[in-house]
């Protein structure tokens, strides 16, 4: 005869089988620096991560022609996750394991999903970069990604299959964890993205066409975005339709807002009329609180900020302001959302606010990470660790390409880099743009020199990088000329003692950038411009890090079933690869 207590114990065991129970939290409105026993804002998450639970999601990717978008305007080709844009928000706690089953229900396109900013320690096979870490998921097939939230903060996910995410294959990620300031209310994720009414592949083909640029006499120039959406909403800038996105503020409370730029091409500044913002995290890196009236966001960048509800009850514009058109322009000249205090009337704000100072397409670096890092520069040799970025016309003078070290990347969807590693084959094609990093746990320091006037938001997979230094931005681009790194003058100016680190930052037009990361994560990791049109045109390298350690760090054979499915389908695919594949 079972006792009641024994029966309860057995039932709980069955219900919780296979799950890891999250540790109790000490994270309260008055003490957000604490998370759980032994884990807080000062914990170095590269060395220690709390236990967590398992979070499971299912994403079904579909394609829809002539989809009526959130602003009421038809988009020629939409590709959506679970029928909506943006896709579902992934929510988890620091230390949780996230499993996402991605079902490709499209008929003519592959896909892959990259989890932007996640370290993926010893887990490169789940990074989601097709042609590098996997083959694309073919139509009528699926793949389950599994990775751990060793970091916390805010991020996003997106397709890495060409410029596909410009059709809508993206969404936000919220990883709850400690913060450097107390707050009362978490407002959640706040993605702000450019939006295009045309089909991404058709836009890309025209951007690639030297003879038909969007800006006359400027080959390779992209189009202005048709709109800018706030968490998937906005009014139609050219007529009726849509609505402003609204965020609620509570009087006399401190709010946490997670600002994300998951754009295709637009970079911009954000500001909230009548309010300041206090930054507590840059990308996935907690920083000492820093108060500002505006923030510039390159593509892929995130800021967790606190906002005080200390203004008169009313409605306030949250404004997006563009810098030089060379780093983003839109047919919506003044994109905005509404922040509304509890008790305010249902009305549009009446005060437009003052545009912030023009940052000249450059993000701020004057934030101090709470957990410190120092990179020695004794081994830094600019002549050998140099990645020059150039803009080029190739072949029959009809196409344009972006090149790094005079090579445009072009991955092979059917044979990703990790397939070479699995086979023990080191004969990598030159246009894979592979940079080998064989040594373990050493600082790898890189100089990127931009020989073009166009600023580039650069993103590194598998790591945060330290921003050791960069040239000052030029205010009147494209006017100017390249400013090469001067070893004698610029090397002493590099900041090596706990500079800002993050996974995305701006490479100045006609300028240079020096970044550093530690070779502590075996895998093949992309380092690329996050303008979708540019990475499609080749602006990327891949760091093949500790290739000899990759086979023992992860189960490389796990990529085989999906690659077999892709290779079986691709010969009959109606559309073949025409760009870098990324």
């Amino acid at each position: 005869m079972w006792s009641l207590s024994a029966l309860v114990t057995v039932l709980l065991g069955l219900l919780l089988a296979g799950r890891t129970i999250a540790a109790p939290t000490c994270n309260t409105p008055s003490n957000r620096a604490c998370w759980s026993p032994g884990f807080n804002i000062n914990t170095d998450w590269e060395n220690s991560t709390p236990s967590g639970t398992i979070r499971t999601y299912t994403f079904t990717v579909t394609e829809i022609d002539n989809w009526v978008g959130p602003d009421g305007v038809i988009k020629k080709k939409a590709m959506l996750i679970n029928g909506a844009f943006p896709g579902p928000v992934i929510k988890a706690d620091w230390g949780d394991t996230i499993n996402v089953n991605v079902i490709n229900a499209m008929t003519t396109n592959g896909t892959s999903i990259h989890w932007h900013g996640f370290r993926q320690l010893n887990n490169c096979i789940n990074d989601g970069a097709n042609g590098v870490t996997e083959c694309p998921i073919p139509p009528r097939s699926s793949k389950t990604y599994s990775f751990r939230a060793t970091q916390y903060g805010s991020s996003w996910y997106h397709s890495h299959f060409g410029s596909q995410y410009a059709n809508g294959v993206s969404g936000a990620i919220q990883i709850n964890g400690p913060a450097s300031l107390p707050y009362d209310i978490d407002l959640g994720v706040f993605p702000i993205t450019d939006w295009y009414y045309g089909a991404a592949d058709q836009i890309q083909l025209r951007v690639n066409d030297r003879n038909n640029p969007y800006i006359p006499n400027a080959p390779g120039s992209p189009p202005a975005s048709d709109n800018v959406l706030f968490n998937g909403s906005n009014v139609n800038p050219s007529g009726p339709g849509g609505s402003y996105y609204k965020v609620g503020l509570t009087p006399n409370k401190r709010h946490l807002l997670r600002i994300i730029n998951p754009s295709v091409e637009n970079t911009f500044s954000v500001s909230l009329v009548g309010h300041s913002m206090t930054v507590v995290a840059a990308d996935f890196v907690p920083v000492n609180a820093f108060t500002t009236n505006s923030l510039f966001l390159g593509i892929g960048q995130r800021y967790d900020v606190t906002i005080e509800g200390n203004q008169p009850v009313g409605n306030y514009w949250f404004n997006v302001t563009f810098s030089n058109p060379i780093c983003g322009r839109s047919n919506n000249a003044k994109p905005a959302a509404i922040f509304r205090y509890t008790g305010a009337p249902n009305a549009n704000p009446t005060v437009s606010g003052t545009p912030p100072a023009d940052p000249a397409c450059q993000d701020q670096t004057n934030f101090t990470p709470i957990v410190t890092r120092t990179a020695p520069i004794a081994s830094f040799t600019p002549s050998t660790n140099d990645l020059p970025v150039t803009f080029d016309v190739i072949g029959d003078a009809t196409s344009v390409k972006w090149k790094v070290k005079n090579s445009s990347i072009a991955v092979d969807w059917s044979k990703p880099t990790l397939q070479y590693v699995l086979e023990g084959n080191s004969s990598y094609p030159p246009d894979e743009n592979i940079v080998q990093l064989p040594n373990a746990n050493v600082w790898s320091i890189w100089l990127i020199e931009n020989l073009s006037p166009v600023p580039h938001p650069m993103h590194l997979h598998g790591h945060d990088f330290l921003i050791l230094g960069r040239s000052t931005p030029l205010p009147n681009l494209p006017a100017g000329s390249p400013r090469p790194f001067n070893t004698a003058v610029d090397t002493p100016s590099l900041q090596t003692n706990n500079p800002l680190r993050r996974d995305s930052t701006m490479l100045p037009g006609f300028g240079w950038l020096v970044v550093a990361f530690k070779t502590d994560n075996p895998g093949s990791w992309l380092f690329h411009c996050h303008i979708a049109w540019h990475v499609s045109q080749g602006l990327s390298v891949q760091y093949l890090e500790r290739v000899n350690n990759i086979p023992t760090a992860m189960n490389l054979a796990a990529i085989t079933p999906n690659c077999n499915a892709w290779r079986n389908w691709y010969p009959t695919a109606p559309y073949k690869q025409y760009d870098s594949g990324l």
Side-chain angles (χ1 to χ4, degrees), residues 198-226:
D201 59 334
Q202 296 303 309
I203 296 173
Q204 184 70 65
L205 287 169
R206 183 171 172 186
V207 173
N208 294 353
D209 186 352
R210 172 177 170 80
N211 297 317
N212 189 26
Y214 281 93
I215 299 176
N217 302 314
S221 56
S225 64
D226 292 298

PDB file of all heavy atoms in Angstrom, residues 198-226:
ATOM      1  N   GLY A 198      10.273  44.654 -50.766  1.00  0.00           N
ATOM      2  CA  GLY A 198      10.692  43.748 -51.830  1.00  0.00           C
ATOM      3  C   GLY A 198      11.184  42.423 -51.273  1.00  0.00           C
ATOM      4  O   GLY A 198      11.454  42.275 -50.076  1.00  0.00           O
ATOM      5  N   ALA A 199      11.316  41.441 -52.159  1.00  0.00           N
ATOM      6  CA  ALA A 199      11.881  40.147 -51.773  1.00  0.00           C
ATOM      7  C   ALA A 199      13.392  40.289 -51.611  1.00  0.00           C
ATOM      8  O   ALA A 199      14.057  40.943 -52.420  1.00  0.00           O
ATOM      9  CB  ALA A 199      11.557  39.097 -52.824  1.00  0.00           C
ATOM     10  N   ALA A 200      13.937  39.663 -50.558  1.00  0.00           N
ATOM     11  CA  ALA A 200      15.354  39.843 -50.231  1.00  0.00           C
ATOM     12  C   ALA A 200      16.267  39.441 -51.378  1.00  0.00           C
ATOM     13  O   ALA A 200      17.255  40.128 -51.667  1.00  0.00           O
ATOM     14  CB  ALA A 200      15.691  39.048 -48.974  1.00  0.00           C
ATOM     15  N   ASP A 201      15.972  38.322 -52.044  1.00  0.00           N
ATOM     16  CA  ASP A 201      16.884  37.879 -53.103  1.00  0.00           C
ATOM     17  C   ASP A 201      16.877  38.842 -54.280  1.00  0.00           C
ATOM     18  O   ASP A 201      17.916  39.067 -54.917  1.00  0.00           O
ATOM     19  CB  ASP A 201      16.534  36.455 -53.554  1.00  0.00           C
ATOM     20  CG  ASP A 201      15.114  36.323 -54.071  1.00  0.00           C
ATOM     21  OD1 ASP A 201      14.251  37.122 -53.672  1.00  0.00           O
ATOM     22  OD2 ASP A 201      14.873  35.397 -54.875  1.00  0.00           O
ATOM     23  N   GLN A 202      15.718  39.437 -54.584  1.00  0.00           N
ATOM     24  CA  GLN A 202      15.663  40.391 -55.686  1.00  0.00           C
ATOM     25  C   GLN A 202      16.405  41.679 -55.335  1.00  0.00           C
ATOM     26  O   GLN A 202      17.078  42.276 -56.190  1.00  0.00           O
ATOM     27  CB  GLN A 202      14.200  40.687 -56.039  1.00  0.00           C
ATOM     28  CG  GLN A 202      13.447  39.469 -56.561  1.00  0.00           C
ATOM     29  CD  GLN A 202      14.114  38.852 -57.780  1.00  0.00           C
ATOM     30  OE1 GLN A 202      14.416  39.535 -58.749  1.00  0.00           O
ATOM     31  NE2 GLN A 202      14.365  37.548 -57.710  1.00  0.00           N
ATOM     32  N   ILE A 203      16.291  42.111 -54.087  1.00  0.00           N
ATOM     33  CA  ILE A 203      17.067  43.274 -53.650  1.00  0.00           C
ATOM     34  C   ILE A 203      18.553  42.968 -53.741  1.00  0.00           C
ATOM     35  O   ILE A 203      19.349  43.765 -54.249  1.00  0.00           O
ATOM     36  CB  ILE A 203      16.679  43.673 -52.217  1.00  0.00           C
ATOM     37  CG1 ILE A 203      15.215  44.125 -52.156  1.00  0.00           C
ATOM     38  CG2 ILE A 203      17.597  44.779 -51.701  1.00  0.00           C
ATOM     39  CD1 ILE A 203      14.707  44.380 -50.748  1.00  0.00           C
ATOM     40  N   GLN A 204      18.941  41.781 -53.253  1.00  0.00           N
ATOM     41  CA  GLN A 204      20.352  41.407 -53.258  1.00  0.00           C
ATOM     42  C   GLN A 204      20.920  41.370 -54.668  1.00  0.00           C
ATOM     43  O   GLN A 204      22.034  41.865 -54.922  1.00  0.00           O
ATOM     44  CB  GLN A 204      20.534  40.045 -52.592  1.00  0.00           C
ATOM     45  CG  GLN A 204      21.982  39.605 -52.461  1.00  0.00           C
ATOM     46  CD  GLN A 204      22.736  40.436 -51.443  1.00  0.00           C
ATOM     47  OE1 GLN A 204      22.425  40.399 -50.265  1.00  0.00           O
ATOM     48  NE2 GLN A 204      23.734  41.192 -51.893  1.00  0.00           N
ATOM     49  N   LEU A 205      20.170  40.809 -55.595  1.00  0.00           N
ATOM     50  CA  LEU A 205      20.659  40.730 -56.970  1.00  0.00           C
ATOM     51  C   LEU A 205      20.897  42.120 -57.552  1.00  0.00           C
ATOM     52  O   LEU A 205      21.869  42.341 -58.289  1.00  0.00           O
ATOM     53  CB  LEU A 205      19.660  39.953 -57.834  1.00  0.00           C
ATOM     54  CG  LEU A 205      19.638  38.436 -57.593  1.00  0.00           C
ATOM     55  CD1 LEU A 205      18.448  37.800 -58.300  1.00  0.00           C
ATOM     56  CD2 LEU A 205      20.942  37.783 -58.058  1.00  0.00           C
ATOM     57  N   ARG A 206      20.032  43.075 -57.215  1.00  0.00           N
ATOM     58  CA  ARG A 206      20.249  44.432 -57.733  1.00  0.00           C
ATOM     59  C   ARG A 206      21.431  45.094 -57.033  1.00  0.00           C
ATOM     60  O   ARG A 206      22.210  45.813 -57.670  1.00  0.00           O
ATOM     61  CB  ARG A 206      18.982  45.273 -57.568  1.00  0.00           C
ATOM     62  CG  ARG A 206      19.150  46.662 -58.166  1.00  0.00           C
ATOM     63  CD  ARG A 206      17.869  47.459 -58.223  1.00  0.00           C
ATOM     64  NE  ARG A 206      18.146  48.830 -58.620  1.00  0.00           N
ATOM     65  CZ  ARG A 206      17.255  49.803 -58.648  1.00  0.00           C
ATOM     66  NH1 ARG A 206      15.983  49.542 -58.303  1.00  0.00           N
ATOM     67  NH2 ARG A 206      17.579  51.024 -59.006  1.00  0.00           N
ATOM     68  N   VAL A 207      21.576  44.867 -55.715  1.00  0.00           N
ATOM     69  CA  VAL A 207      22.737  45.418 -55.006  1.00  0.00           C
ATOM     70  C   VAL A 207      24.023  44.867 -55.614  1.00  0.00           C
ATOM     71  O   VAL A 207      25.039  45.571 -55.698  1.00  0.00           O
ATOM     72  CB  VAL A 207      22.655  45.092 -53.502  1.00  0.00           C
ATOM     73  CG1 VAL A 207      23.937  45.502 -52.783  1.00  0.00           C
ATOM     74  CG2 VAL A 207      21.464  45.810 -52.866  1.00  0.00           C
ATOM     75  N   ASN A 208      23.983  43.625 -56.058  1.00  0.00           N
ATOM     76  CA  ASN A 208      25.161  42.995 -56.665  1.00  0.00           C
ATOM     77  C   ASN A 208      25.446  43.475 -58.084  1.00  0.00           C
ATOM     78  O   ASN A 208      26.529  43.234 -58.611  1.00  0.00           O
ATOM     79  CB  ASN A 208      24.985  41.476 -56.707  1.00  0.00           C
ATOM     80  CG  ASN A 208      24.951  40.842 -55.332  1.00  0.00           C
ATOM     81  OD1 ASN A 208      25.182  41.503 -54.331  1.00  0.00           O
ATOM     82  ND2 ASN A 208      24.654  39.546 -55.290  1.00  0.00           N
ATOM     83  N   ASP A 209      24.458  44.110 -58.706  1.00  0.00           N
ATOM     84  CA  ASP A 209      24.551  44.487 -60.119  1.00  0.00           C
ATOM     85  C   ASP A 209      25.233  45.849 -60.263  1.00  0.00           C
ATOM     86  O   ASP A 209      24.671  46.881 -59.899  1.00  0.00           O
ATOM     87  CB  ASP A 209      23.144  44.521 -60.729  1.00  0.00           C
ATOM     88  CG  ASP A 209      23.165  44.773 -62.228  1.00  0.00           C
ATOM     89  OD1 ASP A 209      24.245  45.066 -62.786  1.00  0.00           O
ATOM     90  OD2 ASP A 209      22.092  44.683 -62.850  1.00  0.00           O
ATOM     91  N   ARG A 210      26.436  45.831 -60.797  1.00  0.00           N
ATOM     92  CA  ARG A 210      27.196  47.077 -60.957  1.00  0.00           C
ATOM     93  C   ARG A 210      26.460  48.085 -61.825  1.00  0.00           C
ATOM     94  O   ARG A 210      26.586  49.302 -61.642  1.00  0.00           O
ATOM     95  CB  ARG A 210      28.566  46.754 -61.559  1.00  0.00           C
ATOM     96  CG  ARG A 210      29.381  47.977 -61.954  1.00  0.00           C
ATOM     97  CD  ARG A 210      30.753  47.585 -62.477  1.00  0.00           C
ATOM     98  NE  ARG A 210      31.441  48.724 -63.066  1.00  0.00           N
ATOM     99  CZ  ARG A 210      32.076  49.654 -62.375  1.00  0.00           C
ATOM    100  NH1 ARG A 210      32.096  49.583 -61.059  1.00  0.00           N
ATOM    101  NH2 ARG A 210      32.685  50.656 -62.978  1.00  0.00           N
ATOM    102  N   ASN A 211      25.666  47.621 -62.761  1.00  0.00           N
ATOM    103  CA  ASN A 211      25.065  48.504 -63.756  1.00  0.00           C
ATOM    104  C   ASN A 211      23.669  49.008 -63.384  1.00  0.00           C
ATOM    105  O   ASN A 211      23.052  49.746 -64.155  1.00  0.00           O
ATOM    106  CB  ASN A 211      24.997  47.782 -65.102  1.00  0.00           C
ATOM    107  CG  ASN A 211      26.378  47.439 -65.621  1.00  0.00           C
ATOM    108  OD1 ASN A 211      27.293  48.250 -65.554  1.00  0.00           O
ATOM    109  ND2 ASN A 211      26.544  46.207 -66.103  1.00  0.00           N
ATOM    110  N   ASN A 212      23.162  48.619 -62.210  1.00  0.00           N
ATOM    111  CA  ASN A 212      21.812  49.048 -61.836  1.00  0.00           C
ATOM    112  C   ASN A 212      21.750  49.357 -60.343  1.00  0.00           C
ATOM    113  O   ASN A 212      20.928  48.799 -59.614  1.00  0.00           O
ATOM    114  CB  ASN A 212      20.806  47.953 -62.199  1.00  0.00           C
ATOM    115  CG  ASN A 212      19.373  48.414 -62.053  1.00  0.00           C
ATOM    116  OD1 ASN A 212      19.078  49.609 -62.148  1.00  0.00           O
ATOM    117  ND2 ASN A 212      18.468  47.489 -61.821  1.00  0.00           N
ATOM    118  N   PRO A 213      22.604  50.261 -59.852  1.00  0.00           N
ATOM    119  CA  PRO A 213      22.633  50.517 -58.407  1.00  0.00           C
ATOM    120  C   PRO A 213      21.410  51.304 -57.944  1.00  0.00           C
ATOM    121  O   PRO A 213      20.746  51.993 -58.726  1.00  0.00           O
ATOM    122  CB  PRO A 213      23.910  51.338 -58.235  1.00  0.00           C
ATOM    123  CG  PRO A 213      24.086  52.044 -59.545  1.00  0.00           C
ATOM    124  CD  PRO A 213      23.595  51.079 -60.587  1.00  0.00           C
ATOM    125  N   TYR A 214      21.122  51.199 -56.664  1.00  0.00           N
ATOM    126  CA  TYR A 214      19.997  51.948 -56.099  1.00  0.00           C
ATOM    127  C   TYR A 214      20.293  53.439 -56.029  1.00  0.00           C
ATOM    128  O   TYR A 214      19.381  54.263 -56.077  1.00  0.00           O
ATOM    129  CB  TYR A 214      19.651  51.413 -54.709  1.00  0.00           C
ATOM    130  CG  TYR A 214      18.844  50.144 -54.744  1.00  0.00           C
ATOM    131  CD1 TYR A 214      19.452  48.897 -54.690  1.00  0.00           C
ATOM    132  CD2 TYR A 214      17.453  50.185 -54.842  1.00  0.00           C
ATOM    133  CE1 TYR A 214      18.700  47.725 -54.720  1.00  0.00           C
ATOM    134  CE2 TYR A 214      16.695  49.023 -54.879  1.00  0.00           C
ATOM    135  CZ  TYR A 214      17.326  47.794 -54.816  1.00  0.00           C
ATOM    136  OH  TYR A 214      16.583  46.632 -54.863  1.00  0.00           O
ATOM    137  N   ILE A 215      21.577  53.799 -55.907  1.00  0.00           N
ATOM    138  CA  ILE A 215      21.994  55.196 -55.973  1.00  0.00           C
ATOM    139  C   ILE A 215      22.785  55.368 -57.262  1.00  0.00           C
ATOM    140  O   ILE A 215      23.774  54.669 -57.479  1.00  0.00           O
ATOM    141  CB  ILE A 215      22.855  55.579 -54.761  1.00  0.00           C
ATOM    142  CG1 ILE A 215      22.054  55.412 -53.464  1.00  0.00           C
ATOM    143  CG2 ILE A 215      23.356  57.011 -54.886  1.00  0.00           C
ATOM    144  CD1 ILE A 215      22.876  55.679 -52.213  1.00  0.00           C
ATOM    145  N   PRO A 216      22.364  56.250 -58.162  1.00  0.00           N
ATOM    146  CA  PRO A 216      23.067  56.406 -59.443  1.00  0.00           C
ATOM    147  C   PRO A 216      24.557  56.656 -59.249  1.00  0.00           C
ATOM    148  O   PRO A 216      24.978  57.386 -58.343  1.00  0.00           O
ATOM    149  CB  PRO A 216      22.373  57.626 -60.070  1.00  0.00           C
ATOM    150  CG  PRO A 216      20.995  57.632 -59.464  1.00  0.00           C
ATOM    151  CD  PRO A 216      21.189  57.144 -58.053  1.00  0.00           C
ATOM    152  N   ASN A 217      25.344  55.994 -60.071  1.00  0.00           N
ATOM    153  CA  ASN A 217      26.801  56.131 -60.083  1.00  0.00           C
ATOM    154  C   ASN A 217      27.453  55.645 -58.782  1.00  0.00           C
ATOM    155  O   ASN A 217      28.592  56.010 -58.485  1.00  0.00           O
ATOM    156  CB  ASN A 217      27.209  57.589 -60.347  1.00  0.00           C
ATOM    157  CG  ASN A 217      26.662  58.102 -61.661  1.00  0.00           C
ATOM    158  OD1 ASN A 217      26.741  57.435 -62.693  1.00  0.00           O
ATOM    159  ND2 ASN A 217      26.072  59.298 -61.622  1.00  0.00           N
ATOM    160  N   ALA A 218      26.736  54.803 -58.042  1.00  0.00           N
ATOM    161  CA  ALA A 218      27.302  54.237 -56.815  1.00  0.00           C
ATOM    162  C   ALA A 218      27.088  52.732 -56.828  1.00  0.00           C
ATOM    163  O   ALA A 218      26.180  52.220 -56.166  1.00  0.00           O
ATOM    164  CB  ALA A 218      26.667  54.871 -55.585  1.00  0.00           C
ATOM    165  N   PRO A 219      27.899  51.997 -57.596  1.00  0.00           N
ATOM    166  CA  PRO A 219      27.726  50.541 -57.679  1.00  0.00           C
ATOM    167  C   PRO A 219      27.749  49.889 -56.302  1.00  0.00           C
ATOM    168  O   PRO A 219      28.559  50.237 -55.450  1.00  0.00           O
ATOM    169  CB  PRO A 219      28.927  50.094 -58.524  1.00  0.00           C
ATOM    170  CG  PRO A 219      29.309  51.302 -59.310  1.00  0.00           C
ATOM    171  CD  PRO A 219      29.033  52.472 -58.417  1.00  0.00           C
ATOM    172  N   GLY A 220      26.840  48.939 -56.096  1.00  0.00           N
ATOM    173  CA  GLY A 220      26.768  48.238 -54.835  1.00  0.00           C
ATOM    174  C   GLY A 220      25.952  48.930 -53.765  1.00  0.00           C
ATOM    175  O   GLY A 220      25.789  48.399 -52.668  1.00  0.00           O
ATOM    176  N   SER A 221      25.447  50.121 -54.069  1.00  0.00           N
ATOM    177  CA  SER A 221      24.683  50.850 -53.053  1.00  0.00           C
ATOM    178  C   SER A 221      23.365  50.147 -52.770  1.00  0.00           C
ATOM    179  O   SER A 221      22.681  49.682 -53.681  1.00  0.00           O
ATOM    180  CB  SER A 221      24.427  52.289 -53.505  1.00  0.00           C
ATOM    181  OG  SER A 221      23.759  52.312 -54.763  1.00  0.00           O
ATOM    182  N   PRO A 222      22.978  50.040 -51.504  1.00  0.00           N
ATOM    183  CA  PRO A 222      21.724  49.376 -51.137  1.00  0.00           C
ATOM    184  C   PRO A 222      20.559  50.341 -51.189  1.00  0.00           C
ATOM    185  O   PRO A 222      20.744  51.567 -51.228  1.00  0.00           O
ATOM    186  CB  PRO A 222      21.994  48.914 -49.699  1.00  0.00           C
ATOM    187  CG  PRO A 222      22.896  49.972 -49.157  1.00  0.00           C
ATOM    188  CD  PRO A 222      23.767  50.403 -50.314  1.00  0.00           C
ATOM    189  N   PRO A 223      19.344  49.810 -51.138  1.00  0.00           N
ATOM    190  CA  PRO A 223      18.177  50.690 -51.102  1.00  0.00           C
ATOM    191  C   PRO A 223      17.964  51.248 -49.706  1.00  0.00           C
ATOM    192  O   PRO A 223      18.453  50.697 -48.705  1.00  0.00           O
ATOM    193  CB  PRO A 223      17.031  49.747 -51.468  1.00  0.00           C
ATOM    194  CG  PRO A 223      17.467  48.423 -50.926  1.00  0.00           C
ATOM    195  CD  PRO A 223      18.964  48.388 -51.134  1.00  0.00           C
ATOM    196  N   ALA A 224      17.226  52.351 -49.630  1.00  0.00           N
ATOM    197  CA  ALA A 224      16.730  52.791 -48.331  1.00  0.00           C
ATOM    198  C   ALA A 224      15.711  51.777 -47.843  1.00  0.00           C
ATOM    199  O   ALA A 224      14.982  51.173 -48.638  1.00  0.00           O
ATOM    200  CB  ALA A 224      16.081  54.170 -48.457  1.00  0.00           C
ATOM    201  N   SER A 225      15.661  51.546 -46.543  1.00  0.00           N
ATOM    202  CA  SER A 225      14.614  50.673 -46.020  1.00  0.00           C
ATOM    203  C   SER A 225      13.263  51.344 -46.245  1.00  0.00           C
ATOM    204  O   SER A 225      13.152  52.572 -46.285  1.00  0.00           O
ATOM    205  CB  SER A 225      14.834  50.392 -44.536  1.00  0.00           C
ATOM    206  OG  SER A 225      14.726  51.572 -43.764  1.00  0.00           O
ATOM    207  N   ASP A 226      12.228  50.530 -46.393  1.00  0.00           N
ATOM    208  CA  ASP A 226      10.888  51.088 -46.595  1.00  0.00           C
ATOM    209  C   ASP A 226      10.255  51.545 -45.297  1.00  0.00           C
ATOM    210  O   ASP A 226       9.408  52.439 -45.293  1.00  0.00           O
ATOM    211  CB  ASP A 226       9.992  50.049 -47.275  1.00  0.00           C
ATOM    212  CG  ASP A 226      10.420  49.775 -48.707  1.00  0.00           C
ATOM    213  OD1 ASP A 226      10.390  50.717 -49.521  1.00  0.00           O
ATOM    214  OD2 ASP A 226      10.825  48.640 -49.000  1.00  0.00           O
TER     215      ASP A 226
END
